[in-house]
Amino acid sequence: MSQYGHNRQTPLLDTVKNPADLRTLDESQLPQLAEEVRLDMINAVSQTGGHLGAGLGVVELTVAIHHVFNTPDDKLIWDVGHQCYPHKILTERREQLSTIRQGGGISGFTTRKESIYDPFGAAHSSTSISAGLGYAVARDLAGKTNNVISVIGDGSMTAGMAYEAMNNAGAMNSRLIVILNDNDMSIAPPVGALSAYLSRLISAKPYQSMRLLAKEIISKFPPRIETAAKRAEEYARGFFTGGTLFEELGFFYIGPVDGHDFSHLLPVLKNVRDCGFDGPVLIHAVTQKGKGYEPAEQAADKYHGVSKFDVVSGKQQKTPPKAPLYQNVFAKALIAEAKHDDKIVAMTAAMPTGTGINLFEEEFPDRTFDVGIAEQHGVTFCAGMACDGYKPYATIYSTFLQRAYDQVIHDVAIQSLPVRFIIDRAGMVGADGVTHQGSYDLAYLGCIPGMIIMAPSDELELMNMVATSAVIDDQPCAIRFPRGESTGRIELPERGSVLEIGKGRIIREGSHVAILALGTRLEDCLKAADKLAAHGFSTTVADARFAKPLDADLVRLLAKNHDVFLTVEEGSIGGFSSLVSNLLANEGLFDKGLKFRPVCMPDIFIDHDTPAKQLEQAGLDAQGIFNKAMSALGKEVVTSSSSIA
C-alpha cells in the first residue's frame, strides 16, 4: 500500500490544531510531523488541484518557523503565497484545505481577512521584505519586541522591489529576519556539514558577543584600521558562505543551510531569535521544490500548479481543451507574423507557458526574452528595442502589467513608441481570485493618450488584431483577451488580416435596444438579444473591437436609433463604458432621453470561484445583460438564469 491515499495515518498532526500546539512538541517529533503535513497536503491538493510543488518544498521550514517563533504575535509573512499550504494546515485551516481555491472556500494565497496567522496578503511576488520592514518599524515605534519574519523565494528575488526593500532595510536598525527560500540552487553553493557548522557559529551568541566586543575595541583605533578589520571579517564570512551580495545591502548573512534538515534549521532560527541582532538578518535556506513526492520531484515544473491528480501515480486529471486556448491562438498568430518580419520579438515576465510565448520561443529562440519577475524592467526593455526599430510584443498578464504602469506611461506612451502589449488573463480568472483578475487594464490604459486598445470577440478576431498590431509603427497598442478556451467554432487561417483601426462592426440589427460589446462577452450579448426578442424587444448587437480609438460613428448610430443603449465589457468601472459615455455626453446624445446602461464589473472584489460563477455574480453573463436591458426598459427583471442556455 502506498504511503499516499485516503487511508493515510497522521496521528501526530491530529494533535496539532495551531502553532501553540506545535510548540509543545519535542524537537525529535518534528520530522514525523513534517512528513504527516506533507502527506496531508498531497492528499488534499489531489482532490482540489492547486499549488503543490512550492508548498512541498517548505514543509520543514514551515514547521521549524512555527516551532521556534511565537506566531501569531511574531509576524510570519510569506512571499507570493504559493508555498503557504503547509502554513494553512498548521494554522487552524487544516479541515478547510479541501475547499481551497473553490467558491466559498479558503484562498490559495495568504489573506488577512482569512486568519490572524496571515499578517499580510500576498499573491503577487516580491512584497514580503517591504511588508516585513513596515511591520518591524511599526513595532519599534510602538516599543514592542516581537519578531518579524519574511520568507521570500529565489524566483521573487528577480524583482527589483525585493532589492529596494533590502536596500532600505539595510540602512536601518530595525530588527528584521528574512529567510531566502532558495529552491533552485540559483544562488547557493552545495550545502553540507561545513556550511551548517559555520551558520550555527556565526548566528550564535558567543560569536555575536565577540563580534560586538571586537567592534568596540577596533573603534578605538584609527579609522583606516577599523575599516580594514571590518572588511576582513565580512570577507571571511562571504568567502565561506557566499553572502557578499546581501552583506553589501546591509544584511547579516547566515547560510546556506539545509532547509529540510531540522538539525540545521532549528539552531540557526533559535540563535537569530535570541541574539538580538542590530539590524536585518538574512538566513539562506536551500530547499527542493516538490520535496518528498516523487512525481513532483521528477516533473520539470515540480508540480508548481496542478489539477486534481492520482496520488499514487501522480497522473493529473486534466481535461483536454475542447477548443484552442486563446494564448495559443495568439502564439500561432505571432509566429505567422514573425515569419514575415524579422523585427518582431517577444518578451514575457516569467510566464512563457501561460502566455503562449513558449511556442514562439520554439520557433524563434533568439527573438524571445524572459526577463523574470520584472515587469517594470520588461516594459522599458521593450521600449529600448522599439527605439531601435524592432517590434516588441510585451506579453504580460493583466494583473501583472499593473506593476509596470509608470513605465507604460513614461517610457512608452509619452515617447509614442510602438510597443505591443499583449494582455492575457483579462477579466475573470476563476480559482486564483481577486489578486489575479484582469479587471483594471481597460481603465488604466484607456486614460493614456495615444494608446490603441483592442479586444477580440473570438479567436479569428484575435489573429486579425495581432496582424493589425504588427503594422502599427508610430504608437503603442494593446490587445486584451481572457484566460481559457476560444469558441472552437472557427477555422483559423494561417495568418490574420489587418483591421481598420478604430472601426467596429454590427453583428445583428434591431430597433429597440442597442448592445455594444467589447471582447468575448459578445456571445452572451447575442444570447441576451435572443431573450429580449422573445419578450418583444428587437435588439441591435455590435462588436466594438476597439476601445481606443473609439468608433464614434458607430456609437452615434446606435445612440440615435435606439431607446436603450448598453455597453458590455469584462472590466472594471472606468473602462470602455466611460469612454463611450464621455462621447455621448460631449455630443449631447443623452439630451433627448437616451437610456444608457453600462454593464461592467461591479465596484467590489469578487472572490475565487469558477469563471462562470464570477461572471454571474458580476452580472456579465447572458442573464445579467438581459436583466439590465429589461430594467432600462422599465420591465420586471428576471432573476433566474435557468431560462438561458
Side-chain angles (χ1 to χ4, degrees):
M1 174 79 182
S2 167
Q3 62 178 322
Y4 310 115
H6 297 297
N7 295 324
R8 81 260 189 206
Q9 296 294 317
T10 55
L12 191 55
L13 179 57
D14 292 343
T15 69
V16 176
K17 305 302 180 186
N18 54 47
D21 293 337
L22 193 162
R23 288 189 282 272
T24 67
L25 299 181
D26 187 81
E27 290 182 9
S28 64
Q29 296 175 286
L30 299 185
Q32 177 187 339
L33 179 66
E35 282 308 302
E36 292 182 14
V37 169
R38 184 170 276 113
L39 291 172
D40 209 58
M41 178 183 165
I42 291 169
N43 280 284
V45 178
S46 74
Q47 301 301 309
T48 63
H51 297 106
L52 184 66
L56 293 176
V58 296
V59 171
E60 287 82 7
L61 184 60
T62 306
V63 169
I65 292 172
H66 281 299
H67 183 76
V68 170
F69 292 97
N70 187 35
T71 53
D73 291 337
D74 288 339
K75 306 303 179 184
L76 173 57
I77 302 171
W78 294 95
D79 200 84
V80 182
H82 290 151
Q83 69 270 27
C84 70
Y85 292 21
H87 165 75
K88 295 201 176 201
I89 290 172
L90 295 169
T91 54
E92 302 176 351
R93 287 169 281 182
R94 182 188 179 194
E95 299 304 318
Q96 297 171 275
L97 202 66
S98 61
T99 70
I100 200 163
R101 292 163 52 87
Q102 299 175 52
I106 61 174
S107 171
F109 306 101
T110 53
T111 170
R112 283 172 54 85
K113 69 179 183 180
E114 188 177 285
S115 172
I116 60 171
Y117 294 96
D118 292 358
F120 198 80
H124 290 186
S125 86
S126 316
T127 62
S128 63
I129 303 177
S130 298
L133 182 59
Y135 260 108
V137 169
R139 173 204 61 206
D140 295 345
L141 290 172
K144 297 186 290 187
T145 59
N146 61 287
N147 293 289
V148 180
I149 308 100
S150 297
V151 182
I152 187 167
D154 58 326
S156 295
M157 294 295 285
T158 63
M161 183 176 178
Y163 293 95
E164 293 173 18
M166 292 183 73
N167 184 58
N168 189 195
M172 304 176 72
N173 291 323
S174 288
R175 186 167 47 83
L176 171 66
I177 300 166
V178 174
I179 299 176
L180 171 60
N181 172 33
D182 182 2
N183 60 29
D184 196 31
M185 295 294 287
S186 60
I187 302 174
V191 176
L194 176 60
S195 63
Y197 170 74
L198 287 169
S199 297
R200 288 197 300 271
L201 175 66
I202 64 177
S203 64
K205 277 187 175 179
Y207 178 88
Q208 293 305 308
S209 299
M210 290 176 61
R211 185 169 179 259
L212 293 174
L213 177 61
K215 278 186 175 181
E216 181 66 23
I217 294 172
I218 292 170
S219 67
K220 307 301 182 184
F221 285 86
R224 289 180 60 188
I225 296 177
E226 180 183 359
T227 300
K230 180 181 178 182
R231 287 177 178 171
E233 191 249 2
E234 289 179 349
Y235 175 78
R237 285 193 292 118
F239 178 82
F240 284 110
T241 64
T244 304
L245 169 64
F246 304 109
E247 295 283 352
E248 289 298 321
L249 287 169
F251 277 69
F252 188 84
Y253 174 89
I254 302 165
V257 297
D258 186 340
H260 300 296
D261 190 330
F262 285 106
S263 68
H264 292 192
L265 281 173
L266 294 173
V268 170
L269 291 176
K270 288 178 182 178
N271 286 341
V272 170
R273 178 194 65 190
D274 298 336
C275 281
F277 284 88
D278 182 19
V281 179
L282 186 136
I283 302 170
H284 185 173
V286 176
T287 63
Q288 180 184 0
K289 197 171 183 179
K291 174 72 172 178
Y293 185 50
E294 187 174 353
E297 292 179 356
Q298 298 301 318
D301 67 349
K302 308 301 181 187
Y303 277 30
H304 173 75
V306 296
S307 56
K308 296 179 182 180
F309 62 93
D310 178 80
V311 292
V312 177
S313 67
K315 185 177 181 180
Q316 297 186 51
Q317 302 170 18
K318 290 187 175 180
T319 303
K322 298 175 183 177
L325 299 174
Y326 274 109
Q327 66 204 48
N328 293 342
V329 174
F330 157 68
K332 170 184 169 67
L334 188 61
I335 289 168
E337 296 303 319
K339 287 178 178 178
H340 291 82
D341 190 340
D342 62 7
K343 294 293 187 181
I344 288 177
V345 293
M347 181 280 293
T348 184
M351 292 292 169
T353 303
T355 57
I357 291 300
N358 61 315
L359 302 177
F360 184 86
E361 185 177 22
E362 291 174 6
E363 294 279 342
F364 304 105
D366 294 337
R367 292 155 65 180
T368 306
F369 306 94
D370 186 346
V371 300
I373 306 174
E375 293 85 3
Q376 291 177 296
H377 156 67
V379 169
T380 305
F381 168 66
C382 286
M385 287 192 288
C387 284
D388 212 22
Y390 278 81
K391 297 182 176 181
Y393 281 75
T395 310
I396 305 173
Y397 289 3
S398 173
T399 186
F400 297 146
L401 185 58
Q402 294 163 190
R403 310 185 81 180
Y405 190 51
D406 181 63
Q407 286 70 26
V408 173
I409 295 175
H410 184 272
D411 298 339
V412 176
I414 288 176
Q415 302 187 93
S416 297
L417 292 173
V419 175
R420 292 97 177 145
F421 294 98
I422 304 301
I423 305 173
D424 198 348
R425 275 40 173 197
M428 301 298 187
V429 294
D432 281 337
V434 296
T435 57
H436 284 61
Q437 280 166 13
S439 306
Y440 313 109
D441 54 88
L442 286 170
Y444 70 67
L445 294 179
C447 62
I448 301 175
M451 179 69 72
I452 296 173
I453 305 172
M454 299 173 262
S457 56
D458 57 42
E459 56 267 46
L460 177 59
E461 286 288 290
L462 175 55
M463 288 199 70
N464 292 340
M465 288 177 182
V466 173
T468 304
S469 68
V471 301
I472 298 172
D473 61 1
D474 58 351
Q475 61 192 113
C477 65
I479 305 172
R480 76 184 307 258
F481 52 87
R483 179 180 188 172
E485 299 176 8
S486 59
T487 70
R489 297 190 296 270
I490 302 172
E491 185 174 347
L492 295 176
E494 288 301 310
R495 188 181 181 191
S497 301
V498 175
L499 302 174
E500 183 179 356
I501 301 294
K503 287 298 176 182
R505 55 178 181 155
I506 292 178
I507 306 298
R508 180 185 300 180
E509 293 196 52
S511 57
H512 296 105
V513 178
I515 302 177
L516 180 59
L518 181 73
T520 55
R521 293 291 87 221
L522 179 64
E523 186 169 352
D524 275 352
C525 290
L526 290 168
K527 291 179 181 178
D530 290 339
K531 184 72 171 175
L532 286 165
H535 283 71
F537 298 105
S538 175
T539 303
T540 296
V541 178
D543 177 9
R545 282 180 166 163
F546 294 84
K548 288 186 72 175
L550 190 63
D551 188 341
D553 291 337
L554 177 60
V555 171
R556 294 185 191 104
L557 180 69
L558 297 176
K560 290 177 180 178
N561 296 331
H562 300 83
D563 300 320
V564 171
F565 187 178
L566 274 63
T567 56
V568 179
E569 63 192 297
E570 196 170 338
S572 71
I573 292 169
F576 176 61
S577 65
S578 176
L579 297 170
V580 173
S581 62
N582 187 66
L583 173 66
L584 294 172
N586 282 329
E587 297 202 359
L589 294 171
F590 287 128
D591 298 353
K592 295 182 179 180
L594 175 68
K595 297 177 180 178
F596 176 78
R597 299 291 186 274
V599 183
C600 59
M601 292 182 182
D603 197 25
I604 59 172
F605 292 113
I606 296 178
D607 283 331
H608 50 278
D609 208 323
T610 65
K613 288 287 188 182
Q614 291 174 325
L615 289 168
E616 180 182 347
Q617 183 180 347
L620 281 165
D621 61 348
Q623 185 69 50
I625 297 165
F626 167 73
N627 290 347
K628 183 75 77 167
M630 290 292 282
S631 176
L633 290 163
K635 304 299 180 182
E636 183 179 353
V637 174
V638 180
T639 58
S640 172
S641 60
S642 60
S643 58
I644 292 188

